[in-house]
Amino acid sequence: MGALFTGNGIAHSILLFAVVIALGLYLAKFKVKGVSIGSTWILFVGIILSHFGLRSNPIVLSFMKDFGLILFVFSIGLQVGPGFFSAFKKDGVKLNLLSTALVLLAVIVTVAIHFITKESIFTMTGVMSGAVTNTPGLGAAQQTLSDSGVAGVSPTTLASAYAVAYPIGVLGVIFLLILSKSLFKIDLDHEREALDKEQDTGDTARRMHCQVSNPAIYGKTLKEIVADMGDRFVVSRILHDGKITTPGPQTVFHEGDKLLIVTDHKDVDTVRIIFGEEVPLHQEDWNRMDSHMVPRKLTITNTSLTGKHLYQLGFRKKYNVTVTRVIRSGIELVARPGLILQMGDSIIVVGTEEDIEAASKVVGNKPERLSHPNLVPIFFGIALGVIFGSLPIAIPGIPQPVKLGLAGGPLIIAILLGYFGPRLKITTYTTTSANMMLREIGISFFMAAVGLDAGKTFVSSITAGGYWWILYGALITLIPIATIILLSRLVFKLNFYEICGLVSGGTTDPAVLSFAQNLYGTDYASINYATVYPLTMFLRVLVAQLMILLAL
């Protein structure tokens, strides 16, 4: 039994990881003035146990660190993938410019400390990698140093400097986020509502009850009316002479007809101009006036529908039902004919019970199927991500190519799968709980491995003069982050959740993202994290290698 705690076998490593993660997550439950550092406790528990001699098998340690990070970033990529490019179009350029500035500021502070203190640039590269919590950057710098064959400089020195600076790199960012929340008097509910409202200005659905009062459309058919409007609204039902019907292309509109219309928030005024002002009717009024026409929610569980356009299903023509809205990830979208459907979408249809029953057989409508995750795309995506991250990227003027690594590659592939998967008829749907499970397991493995690895030299590095590295790391962490937070809020007017995502992605720090999500109770930060993470990861790896190459 004692060998389990003192040995170097697989069973010992598994036991050690389980203990570190369990203790870390238990400590994460305790809060000081309502604040907890969450899963970051796993890192410190790992450091403590490793310092007192509980060490993992090196091969297992390396595997857990890399595989945990892959699981974490891949689950993030799948989650934010469907909305990634739309978010990038709107704020992505601004966010990536800020994250690039964050990377350059860290380099400037690092080089300034090197010239002021005469500390080795090799050591400072390790300190910088720890201060910005970028493990791939450390690995790239170590590999570049080893390949250079410089005598008297060991890659282990970089790792020790990294280990000493890493904790302050995590805690410093968390401290600044907490401080900025207090400094700017952030109202989390207000910030969340602002983002919700911002999303509602796009394709989110808005139900309207209008009375036809525009003489220009009297006697015209729906087909004639919408000819110049594209698919900007859906007329769900029409009340004419006391009779309710679902209008088709040849339905004629008359003065005084009452309409139930679904459109975008941004097109509300346009609908009023075309048809007439809104009248005090509600969904319940329509249901009461015609008990034969009922609304129902159907869930798409038929995998063959993934990637199909809504119009291809022909609901109105084949089943005499009208699709008014599509619900995706809790957001109601207008049922545009060109909307590409995904596994897990819900559609709101209006029709008779018999017609809706026929339509439900086509879409599947068996929500219990969604509890079974689609593992093939996940592992296939991870395989592609590892290959992509391992590809050398040659940059003119740089003697050695750089790589995105085991974090950047899988993240980019996951984003692409999440966005293009449905269009390529690849089912990438996973339930929220399944995605969260992958994410939490991944970050737990990663933090435990980093802690167990850093604990071996943590205290000895500090006592041997490495305590200065703590100060250097703090400066490299705090000065750039504080500058970017101030610019983001005061100049660029970013939402607090956007700042959380920007900072955690700009430092490539999954622990900070996990902290922000757990403490502030939203996944909004993940979108901005994934928006800046790929470019930031590339730049962090690049500058770490450049600093070594330029110092040779």
Side-chain angles (χ1 to χ4, degrees):
M1 183 67 179
L4 283 175
F5 292 93
T6 58
N8 197 36
I10 302 299
H12 161 75
S13 297
I14 293 175
L15 174 63
L16 185 56
F17 267 88
V19 170
V20 170
I21 293 172
L23 285 176
L25 294 179
Y26 176 75
L27 292 173
K29 295 181 179 180
F30 297 94
K31 298 181 179 181
V32 177
K33 294 185 177 181
V35 175
S36 169
I37 59 173
S39 59
T40 310
W41 272 112
I42 298 174
L43 171 69
F44 297 122
V45 171
I47 289 176
I48 294 171
L49 294 186
S50 180
H51 170 70
F52 286 107
L54 294 177
R55 308 285 168 75
S56 171
N57 182 297
I59 297 177
V60 175
L61 187 70
S62 178
F63 171 78
M64 288 291 204
K65 179 165 63 177
D66 292 339
F67 189 59
L69 186 58
I70 288 172
L71 286 180
F72 180 81
V73 299
F74 196 84
S75 61
I76 291 255
L78 281 182
Q79 179 195 21
V80 305
F84 174 76
F85 289 101
S86 60
F88 192 90
K89 288 178 182 177
K90 186 169 63 172
D91 293 320
V93 174
K94 175 170 59 180
L95 290 171
N96 277 284
L97 285 175
L98 286 170
S99 67
T100 300
L102 185 59
V103 174
L104 295 178
L105 282 173
V107 173
I108 292 171
V109 175
T110 302
V111 173
I113 294 174
H114 159 66
F115 282 113
I116 293 172
T117 66
K118 307 305 179 184
E119 183 70 70
S120 166
I121 191 64
F122 303 115
T123 300
M124 287 306 303
T125 302
V127 172
M128 183 186 71
S129 296
V132 299
T133 62
N134 189 259
T135 307
L138 170 68
Q142 287 180 310
Q143 187 64 51
T144 303
L145 186 59
S146 298
D147 294 342
S148 67
V150 177
V153 182
S154 171
T156 305
T157 303
L158 275 70
S160 297
Y162 167 90
V164 171
Y166 192 97
I168 198 67
V170 176
L171 293 177
V173 177
I174 291 175
F175 167 75
L176 287 177
L177 285 179
I178 296 172
L179 180 63
S180 64
K181 177 178 178 294
S182 175
L183 178 65
F184 296 125
K185 296 180 173 57
I186 299 294
D187 183 337
L188 293 178
D189 291 335
H190 175 74
E191 299 289 302
R192 191 180 297 112
E193 289 172 2
L195 286 178
D196 289 340
K197 184 177 180 181
E198 186 176 325
Q199 283 195 350
D200 285 345
T201 60
D203 285 339
T204 49
R206 159 80 147 82
R207 279 173 289 182
M208 303 177 64
H209 305 88
C210 297
Q211 179 169 307
V212 176
S213 56
N214 178 10
I217 67 170
Y218 295 168
K220 287 190 175 183
T221 64
L222 179 60
K223 182 178 181 180
E224 293 173 321
I225 295 172
V226 303
D228 298 325
M229 292 298 298
D231 53 4
R232 296 169 67 177
F233 56 82
V234 176
V235 181
S236 172
R237 277 181 274 184
I238 180 172
L239 174 61
H240 176 69
D241 289 339
K243 183 180 179 180
I244 295 178
T245 59
T246 54
Q250 302 306 319
T251 299
V252 178
F253 289 82
H254 305 85
E255 182 180 5
D257 287 348
K258 292 183 173 59
L259 311 174
L260 174 56
I261 300 172
V262 180
T263 187
D264 292 344
H265 281 260
K266 64 177 181 294
D267 287 329
V268 167
D269 290 337
T270 301
V271 171
R272 288 171 179 159
I273 293 172
I274 294 174
F275 294 102
E277 290 298 322
E278 293 184 74
V279 293
L281 280 175
H282 301 285
Q283 183 71 53
E284 295 76 11
D285 296 323
W286 292 96
N287 297 340
R288 186 176 60 254
M289 287 186 289
D290 187 352
S291 60
H292 297 289
M293 304 294 294
V294 295
R296 288 286 184 272
K297 182 170 76 170
L298 305 178
T299 303
I300 295 178
T301 57
N302 183 352
T303 57
S304 66
L305 299 187
T306 297
K308 285 187 177 293
H309 294 273
L310 183 59
Y311 73 83
Q312 292 179 288
L313 275 63
F315 282 105
R316 175 67 183 147
K317 184 176 181 180
K318 296 179 181 178
Y319 309 104
N320 198 34
V321 298
T322 300
V323 182
T324 62
R325 285 159 288 154
V326 176
I327 302 175
R328 178 174 298 165
S329 300
I331 300 174
E332 291 190 352
L333 308 176
V334 178
R336 301 181 183 278
L339 184 68
I340 296 176
L341 298 174
Q342 300 179 18
M343 183 80 163
D345 285 349
S346 293
I347 58 175
I348 304 299
V349 300
V350 177
T352 64
E353 292 283 4
E354 294 79 9
D355 292 335
I356 291 176
E357 180 62 27
S360 70
K361 295 178 181 178
V362 176
V363 302
N365 197 35
K366 295 181 178 179
E368 62 274 9
R369 289 184 180 178
L370 299 178
S371 62
H372 300 284
N374 297 283
L375 295 180
V376 173
I378 291 177
F379 284 102
F380 181 70
I382 289 176
L384 283 179
V386 171
I387 294 172
F388 182 62
S390 302
L391 295 176
I393 302 173
I395 298 178
I398 306 299
Q400 295 183 7
V402 297
K403 300 177 182 178
L404 291 174
L406 294 177
L411 176 66
I412 292 175
I413 294 298
I415 290 173
L416 294 177
L417 271 179
Y419 185 80
F420 291 106
R423 292 163 173 77
L424 300 175
K425 301 187 183 302
I426 299 174
T427 302
T428 58
Y429 175 83
T430 56
T431 62
T432 302
S433 59
N435 185 282
M436 185 63 71
M437 177 66 77
L438 278 178
R439 188 189 309 179
E440 292 302 312
I441 288 176
I443 190 63
S444 297
F445 282 168
F446 173 74
M447 298 304 296
V450 171
L452 290 169
D453 189 35
K456 294 180 291 186
T457 58
F458 186 73
V459 175
S460 61
S461 296
I462 293 178
T463 56
Y467 48 82
W468 283 107
W469 298 346
I470 298 177
L471 175 60
Y472 301 158
L475 293 174
I476 296 171
T477 298
L478 298 177
I479 293 176
I481 294 295
T483 302
I484 293 302
I485 288 178
L486 290 173
L487 282 175
S488 299
R489 189 68 180 185
L490 299 178
V491 178
F492 294 97
K493 309 299 181 183
L494 291 188
N495 187 283
F496 180 69
Y497 291 115
E498 293 176 320
I499 294 175
C500 288
L502 167 65
V503 169
S504 56
T507 55
T508 64
D509 195 338
V512 174
L513 176 62
S514 179
F515 163 81
Q517 290 176 322
N518 292 336
L519 182 62
Y520 302 134
T522 179
D523 282 336
Y524 275 128
S526 294
I527 298 175
N528 301 102
Y529 176 93
T531 299
V532 303
Y533 188 100
L535 177 62
T536 303
M537 176 61 72
F538 175 78
L539 291 176
R540 294 287 187 195
V541 171
L542 175 63
V543 298
Q545 295 183 52
L546 285 177
M547 290 177 68
I548 298 296
L549 291 171
L550 295 176
L552 296 177

